[in-house]
Amino acid sequence: MRVLDEVASGRFHQVESIARNVLTAYGYAEFRTPILEHTELFVRSVGQSTDIVGKEMYTFEDRGGRSLTLRPEGTAPVVRAVIERGIRNTPMPLKLFYIGPYFRYERPQKGRYRQFHQIGAELLGDARPEADVEVIQMLVELLGACGFSGLTVALQTLGDDESRDRFRATLVEYLTPQHERLSPESQERLESNPLRILDSKVRGDREILADAPRIDGSLTEEARKHFERVQQLLDLVGVSYRLDSSLVRGLDYYTGTVFEISSDELGAQDALVGGGRYDNLVAELGGTSTPAIGFAIGLDRVVEAMPETQAQDRPRAVVLPLHHEALATALRTAAVLRDAGISTDVGDADRGIGKALQVADRRGIRWAVLIGEDELAAEEWSLKDLISGDQQRVGTVQELASTIQQETD
Ligand code: HAM
């Protein structure tokens, strides 16, 4: 499992705070669910024949003999919790977001970790295409605020139940004569869950799938209208997208609109965000039938691909009392700087000012505030920029703070 050091944590925090701002502006409230859930929850929602459930879950028995799993995703836990709280009494639409660690036993590589982090959101109780569009628009805005420009929104519909039933039948009809050429896993899926075959990465399967029927041909009138409306509205709000009939999400609960967003910075096969509609899940998990849509942003990937300029930390300063009588002033000065958003230490100049400045520089601190006998007598502060080496006298502590902030921007 990966350690997030102080640099990575800072960048995580920055994206999290941008996300909190945007999500709350769209009316979402934060929700926290446990990291452990009953294994059964993910088997029933994500799906027995998916890679996540079949190969990637961290599952174990607890002391009471129950099978528990480290959550591999956030939608099923949120839906479970909302159902337990009582969905009938919940005013709809319900907009919830969550931020936290998730676990999948995948082969670790850049952008793919066994403990990773998601910022996710779920919008329950709104079946309109407008909801789909609001969610996608919000994501584009959120990623834009993180500094991404070259974003690709890949869009697809899985249709309603009837569309999928029709499509499943058409697909089975097409694949059955090719049964012998399919990989063993796909042969098995032809029986258990044919739509999952579309997700196969095996070369031979992909060749067969190249000419396979597409869902478009199986859509009911209603499903087609919904999806067309989504596209019209996206055009209207100026979000560009690419229709992608090969978009297969790795979880079985999806219905209707699905999407992934990737960035030129990262390479298209690693999505920054995945999401879509799951109008049947609430009912499947025992709640009153409720339409829903949601997404999860891969926080690790966003942080790795985020343009460097956005990763601006707070300015950092060290206040150095150079005389024993300067300590009280130094403590008060540090309090004012911290209040102004400057990350401030009170340093130790006992071993000489040269040594103290060297230590600050090595720790990546740019600003040193020196308070010696002269400064105390003049009621002034000396501000040293450790990058340029320039030093200036400043007459008030407010001016000290504003100089540090202006020069750091
Ligand atoms: P997902 O596509 O499985 O969807 O994951 C969403 C995002 O999480 C991915 O696009 C990726 O950025 C990130 N991610 C997934 N696995 C890893 C990993 N091993 N390492 C790093 N990042 C990873 C879901 O999880 C759905 N629950 C999203 C959703 C919410 N759909 C509806 N509501």
Side-chain angles (χ1 to χ4, degrees), residues 173-245:
E173 200 176 309
Y174 169 81
L175 290 174
T176 304
Q178 326 239 27
H179 184 274
E180 296 310 311
R181 291 174 53 216
L182 286 170
S183 66
E185 198 173 22
S186 293
Q187 287 181 1
E188 196 270 311
R189 283 177 169 170
L190 196 54
E191 307 289 321
S192 62
N193 190 350
L195 296 185
R196 280 266 113 237
I197 298 176
L198 299 172
D199 201 17
S200 170
K201 310 281 181 302
V202 180
R203 187 124 147 256
D205 289 351
R206 297 245 51 92
E207 281 165 13
I208 297 172
L209 289 169
D211 296 322
R214 306 242 159 118
I215 181 92
D216 316 26
S218 303
L219 293 180
T220 59
E221 181 65 9
E222 210 183 327
R224 196 176 49 73
K225 272 201 183 135
H226 181 105
F227 195 48
E228 276 173 7
R229 184 79 181 134
V230 169
Q231 295 169 59
Q232 277 168 6
L233 290 170
L234 284 173
D235 293 337
L236 198 78
V237 293
V239 170
S240 49
Y241 54 88
R242 186 169 51 77
L243 293 179
D244 183 351
S245 59

Side-chain angles (χ1 to χ4, degrees), residues 37-218:
E37 294 279 354
H38 287 120
T39 304
E40 188 57 21
L41 175 66
F42 301 110
V43 176
R44 284 174 64 193
S45 55
V46 175
Q48 180 81 59
S49 57
T50 59
D51 282 353
I52 295 179
V53 170
K55 305 179 191 162
E56 296 171 358
M57 294 205 302
Y58 283 90
T59 297
F60 62 96
E61 265 193 18
D62 74 0
R63 288 169 191 272
R66 287 172 289 249
S67 179
L68 300 182
T69 291
L70 287 175
R71 59 186 189 186
E73 64 98 48
T75 308
V78 166
V79 169
R80 173 193 71 75
V82 171
I83 292 172
E84 277 175 20
R85 199 166 71 171
I87 218 158
R88 272 187 202 284
N89 304 324
T90 307
M92 294 285 166
L94 178 63
K95 291 173 149 185
L96 301 171
F97 80 89
Y98 47 89
I99 301 180
Y102 294 82
F103 304 84
R104 293 182 193 174
Y105 190 82
E106 295 193 80
R107 201 162 59 83
Q109 51 188 290
K110 192 168 158 49
R112 196 173 297 277
Y113 307 101
R114 290 180 172 170
Q115 174 172 339
F116 61 100
H117 303 80
Q118 287 187 341
I119 302 176
E122 312 298 346
L123 163 50
L124 278 78
D126 193 342
R128 299 170 309 142
E130 284 80 356
D132 307 16
V133 171
E134 188 186 90
V135 161
I136 296 171
Q137 185 188 10
M138 174 174 74
L139 277 164
V140 170
E141 185 180 325
L142 197 163
L143 292 170
C146 292
F148 287 97
S149 48
L151 293 173
T152 305
V153 179
L155 195 66
Q156 152 82 318
T157 182
L158 304 178
D160 49 19
D161 293 348
E162 193 185 331
S163 311
R164 267 191 319 287
D165 286 346
R166 286 189 200 169
F167 180 50
R168 193 173 299 113
T170 321
L171 191 66
V172 169
E173 200 176 309
Y174 169 81
L175 290 174
T176 304
Q178 326 239 27
H179 184 274
E180 296 310 311
R181 291 174 53 216
L182 286 170
S183 66
E185 198 173 22
S186 293
Q187 287 181 1
E188 196 270 311
R189 283 177 169 170
L190 196 54
E191 307 289 321
S192 62
N193 190 350
L195 296 185
R196 280 266 113 237
I197 298 176
L198 299 172
D199 201 17
S200 170
K201 310 281 181 302
V202 180
R203 187 124 147 256
D205 289 351
R206 297 245 51 92
E207 281 165 13
I208 297 172
L209 289 169
D211 296 322
R214 306 242 159 118
I215 181 92
D216 316 26
S218 303

